[in-house]
């Protein structure tokens, strides 16, 4: 059975591994299929494509999009889209801009609380990666404002602490439309403890194609329940390790262990194929 990991991050967003290093690591761990799903960018995927090809690892087009929905930030995984689709590229540009603006607001918000942090420090930390909260967390740790990465989130960067920050992320409706038009499929990322079943059902009715049933944050019962929901709604089952390679999140040890069976990869590719035939 070929094992797949359809949820990973690289230096193109907030991961520590370069795309090349991640491809090699995936191959070492015996994975057959991988998706690089950086936050709101496909740069890492594009960079990794030829390397994956050389070593015979199947690399699916992927991205983890941040959608704005009902006052929340919802993570949506998208796969097997046409990576040159104009609508998609335009969406990603907007998301990048939204991330930059959001980080300026976050930094201003922290400064008002007396935290010693500057936007240029966060930008430097992000480097060429799509800027996000982990980069701010890193700055806070380096400056000894907090003792750990986790503490940075608990004290300053959790969604609860940042609930007053206004963002310009694309709406869920728009993201669904753009990905469908690009011939791709969508899966709700790590739904585990985040949403009510009403909310999950609402997102399914809006056109989400699958649920990320397998994720390190899901215990066996959660995984089983989402798998049942997916099966009874004829949805794709997706999964992955959410590897960031930093040794700072609890999920990193699950790379090569929390995996998805190849039958689910086949279903996903089949659905994307059909969608491409429909939009062609
Ligand atoms: P952002 O894309 O800026 O919203 O940041 C989301 C990323 O922050 C996630 O993919 C994780 O890497 C990280 N993250 C979110 N919450 C936590 C947390 N409580 N502890 C550690 N990392 C977190
Ligand atoms: Zn992340
Ligand atoms: Fe996520
Ligand atoms: Fe992720």
């Amino acid at each position: 059975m070929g094992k797949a990991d359809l949820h990973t991050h690289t230096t193109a967003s907030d991961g520590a591994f370069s795309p090349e290093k991640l491809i090699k690591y995936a191959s070492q761990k015996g994975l057959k299929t991988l998706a690089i799903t950086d936050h709101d960018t496909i740069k890492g995927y594009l960079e990794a494509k030829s390397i994956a090809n050389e070593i015979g690892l199947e690399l699916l087009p992927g991205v983890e999009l941040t959608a704005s929905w009902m006052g929340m930030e919802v993570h949506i995984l998208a796969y097997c889209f046409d990576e040159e689709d104009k609508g998609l590229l335009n969406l990603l540009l907007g998301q990048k801009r939204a991330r930059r603006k959001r980080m300026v607001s976050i930094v201003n918000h922290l400064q008002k609380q007396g935290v010693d942090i500057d936007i240029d420090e966060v930008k430097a930390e992000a480097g060429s990666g799509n800027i996000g909260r982990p980069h701010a967390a890193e700055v806070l740790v380096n400056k000894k404002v907090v003792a750990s990465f986790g503490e940075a989130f608990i004290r300053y960067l959790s969604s609860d602490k940042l609930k007053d920050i206004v963002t310009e992320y694309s709406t869920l409706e728009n993201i669904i439309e753009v990905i469908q038009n690009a011939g791709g499929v969508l899966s709700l990322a790590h739904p585990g403890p985040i949403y009510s079943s009403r909310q999950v059902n609402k997102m399914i009715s809006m056109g989400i194609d699958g649920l990320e049933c397998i994720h390190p944050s899901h215990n066996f019962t959660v995984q089983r329940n989402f798998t049942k929901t997916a099966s009874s709604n004829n949805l794709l089952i997706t999964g992955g390790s959410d590897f960031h390679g930093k040794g700072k999140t609890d999920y990193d040890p699950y790379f090569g262990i929390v995996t998805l069976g190849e039958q689910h990869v086949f279903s996903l590719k089949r659905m994307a194929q059909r969608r491409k035939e429909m939009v062609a």
Side-chain angles (χ1 to χ4, degrees):
M1 278 283 281
K3 292 193 295 182
D5 188 333
L6 301 188
H7 192 157
T8 64
H9 296 269
T10 74
T11 44
S13 64
D14 56 3
F17 280 36
S18 69
E20 178 170 3
K21 190 171 167 192
L22 182 63
I23 294 291
K24 291 190 171 150
Y25 192 44
S27 169
Q28 243 179 53
K29 290 277 181 180
L31 292 173
K32 178 174 172 276
T33 307
L34 183 79
I36 290 176
T37 52
D38 276 310
H39 298 283
D40 300 298
T41 177
I42 58 170
K43 285 210 174 103
Y45 156 72
L46 293 176
E47 205 182 309
K49 247 169 81 167
S50 61
I51 305 150
N53 206 15
E54 273 166 35
I55 64 169
L57 181 90
E58 180 180 39
L59 183 69
L60 303 181
V63 66
E64 183 172 16
L65 296 162
T66 316
S68 165
W69 187 62
M70 291 181 50
M72 293 185 284
E73 288 176 17
V74 175
H75 284 187
I76 303 289
L77 295 158
Y79 299 109
C80 298
F81 40 76
D82 168 5
E83 62 216 44
E84 288 174 9
D85 180 85
K86 290 277 182 324
L88 170 78
L89 297 177
N90 201 27
L91 169 71
L92 295 176
L93 268 179
Q95 295 287 91
K96 188 185 177 90
R97 204 174 307 127
R99 281 185 166 275
R100 288 208 191 116
K101 282 193 172 181
R102 168 181 178 253
M103 191 51 71
V104 170
S105 304
I106 291 175
V107 167
N108 284 340
H109 182 70
L110 293 179
Q111 284 172 346
K112 280 195 199 119
Q113 296 168 58
V115 177
D116 174 22
I117 187 168
D118 188 88
I119 187 66
D120 289 333
E121 294 170 326
V122 187
K123 281 186 184 164
E125 184 60 43
S128 59
N130 223 6
I131 205 161
R133 287 178 288 164
H135 302 119
E138 206 76 57
V139 170
L140 295 177
V141 173
N142 292 343
K143 297 183 82 171
K144 304 204 167 27
V145 174
V146 291
S148 70
F149 195 76
E151 190 191 336
F153 273 90
I154 292 168
R155 289 185 57 175
Y156 298 113
L157 299 167
S158 68
S159 46
D160 192 43
K161 299 276 180 203
L162 299 177
K163 62 180 184 302
D164 297 332
I165 305 283
V166 178
T167 67
E168 293 179 15
Y169 286 126
S170 175
T171 61
L172 181 55
E173 289 82 353
N174 184 55
I175 282 178
I176 292 172
E177 191 182 330
V178 169
I179 295 300
Q180 286 180 345
N181 285 334
V185 298
L186 303 113
S187 179
L188 179 60
H190 44 69
I194 311 178
Y195 314 108
S196 67
S197 45
R198 242 184 99 115
Q199 288 172 327
V200 171
N201 288 333
K202 177 80 181 101
M203 287 189 263
I204 293 171
S205 74
M206 288 167 74
I208 295 281
D209 304 295
L211 300 176
E212 189 179 45
C213 301
I214 301 167
H215 186 270
S217 68
H218 295 174
N219 64 27
F220 181 74
T221 312
V222 172
Q223 178 176 317
R224 192 186 50 197
N225 289 341
F226 280 116
T227 306
K228 273 189 194 159
T229 308
S231 302
S232 60
N233 287 284
N234 256 323
L235 296 174
L236 298 172
I237 291 166
T238 74
S241 65
D242 212 348
F243 181 75
H244 282 75
K246 294 195 171 214
K248 281 179 184 125
T249 67
D250 298 339
Y251 304 156
D252 289 345
Y254 294 105
F255 191 69
I257 294 170
V258 173
T259 57
L260 183 72
E262 64 187 349
Q263 72 275 25
H264 300 301
V265 179
F266 291 145
S267 304
L268 187 154
K269 288 193 285 189
R270 198 169 50 224
M271 185 183 276
Q273 187 56 40
R274 279 204 220 110
R275 187 151 290 156
K276 284 189 193 74
E277 285 161 11
M278 272 167 64
V279 295

